[in-house]
Amino acid sequence: TPLFSQNANYSYSLNKDKLITVCTRSIDRVDLCNSTNRLFVDDIWPGSKVLADYLRDNPLLCKGKLVLELGAGSGLPAIVASIIGAKQVTITDYPDSSLLDNIQKMVINNNISSTSLVLPHIWGEKVDLLLQESIGTNNRFELVLLAELLWKDTYELHMDLLKSVSECLCHQSGIALVTFAHRTTESHLESHDLEFFEKASQYFCLESKFLGTNDCYCDVDGEEKTIVKIYKLFYSTVS
């Protein structure tokens, strides 16, 4: 049974003159090949909204940059990045046709087709397509977005996700922004989410910095505000 079964339509106010509309696809989950886990894609999670806010409030992070979103869902942060001035945005998620078609629809509906590309990507697999199609050179992405990708069903995928981040992120100037809320269970603790950053340092030479929290949004299953944490990942050559 999926965690949350209703589909979501969401209007995000970028500023007083610009409204971004996103929605999730009509099917609520994606079954992963060779895994009992599922990706839930039926809602706009609070971490996605918080990351969109962070980009809106810090537009220089995006302006003129090559941006990649992994596990994008509806792609709200990537859409915001494109509208506020990214040179090009590549929006990726699991290679499920209905999921990717929905993201493409969001790109068209928000009039960012000229600066946005939707591509399939399985975390940990080759990133050649992402780099070649998006950049066309040996360069890498200057900003990588990870919204709500840390929870119990992705715990076993930390290394795969970090492999994709490390192979896509520019060593000289790139940062990855990570937003997530702790959703604990008897078997999944807050410390399991935070292991992601330990693994980033130990295995991929990626440093991390805690940027703060945001509790402006309710979680998708209720009316209580959710505390979303914001981190950035970067190589030691980046301040």
Side-chain angles (χ1 to χ4, degrees):
T1 302
L3 288 181
F4 312 108
S5 59
Q6 74 174 39
N7 302 318
N9 291 277
Y10 180 67
S11 294
Y12 177 83
S13 180
L14 184 61
N15 54 51
K16 65 177 183 178
D17 300 317
K18 182 63 180 179
L19 194 67
I20 296 171
T21 300
V22 292
C23 66
T24 56
R25 64 177 204 156
S26 58
I27 303 173
D28 50 30
R29 70 189 184 195
V30 174
D31 294 324
L32 303 180
C33 295
N34 304 316
S35 175
T36 59
N37 292 333
R38 297 181 172 97
L39 301 179
F40 293 92
V41 292
D42 66 327
D43 235 307
I44 315 299
W45 294 72
S48 181
K49 301 173 187 177
V50 168
L51 186 49
D53 287 348
Y54 193 83
L55 297 176
R56 178 198 63 197
D57 297 339
N58 299 275
L60 292 181
L61 290 172
C62 302
K63 193 170 181 60
K65 302 290 182 62
L66 298 169
V67 179
L68 169 70
E69 184 170 8
L70 295 170
S74 65
L76 176 61
I79 292 169
V80 170
S82 180
I83 291 173
I84 64 177
K87 181 178 181 180
Q88 182 167 304
V89 172
T90 301
I91 312 173
T92 72
D93 212 320
Y94 193 79
D96 174 89
S97 59
S98 64
L99 178 55
L100 296 175
D101 288 348
N102 185 70
I103 297 174
Q104 186 62 52
K105 181 181 177 182
M106 297 305 99
V107 166
I108 294 170
N109 289 353
N110 288 284
N111 300 310
I112 58 169
S113 298
S114 63
T115 57
S116 302
L117 185 64
V118 178
L119 291 174
H121 179 64
I122 296 176
W123 302 342
E125 296 198 354
K126 290 183 178 181
V127 300
D128 300 27
L129 176 65
L130 302 185
L131 298 178
Q132 291 170 4
E133 293 291 329
S134 305
I135 301 174
T137 69
N138 293 324
N139 294 328
R140 297 185 179 193
F141 293 94
E142 297 155 289
L143 180 62
V144 177
L145 308 175
L146 294 81
E148 289 278 17
L149 303 185
L150 305 182
W151 63 303
K152 68 180 182 66
D153 277 4
T154 61
Y155 176 65
E156 67 182 40
L157 302 176
H158 280 184
M159 293 294 286
D160 291 336
L161 177 55
L162 284 166
K163 183 174 185 291
S164 291
V165 172
S166 68
E167 292 181 358
C168 287
L169 190 64
C170 177
H171 282 246
Q172 290 72 37
S173 61
I175 66 169
L177 294 174
V178 186
T179 57
F180 64 98
H182 292 300
R183 293 182 172 84
T184 58
T185 66
E186 289 185 1
S187 61
H188 185 82
L189 309 178
E190 290 187 7
S191 59
H192 290 129
D193 294 329
L194 297 177
E195 281 180 28
F196 179 79
F197 303 101
E198 297 171 9
K199 295 169 185 173
S201 174
Q202 182 177 355
Y203 297 105
F204 298 95
C205 299
L206 285 165
E207 299 185 22
S208 62
K209 182 178 180 180
F210 175 61
L211 299 178
T213 62
N214 182 308
D215 61 355
C216 291
Y217 298 103
C218 295
D219 211 347
V220 295
D221 61 342
E223 297 181 355
E224 292 187 6
K225 300 288 187 179
T226 297
I227 297 174
V228 174
K229 293 185 175 181
I230 310 168
Y231 280 78
K232 75 172 180 178
L233 293 173
F234 54 96
Y235 288 103
S236 59
T237 52
V238 181
S239 59

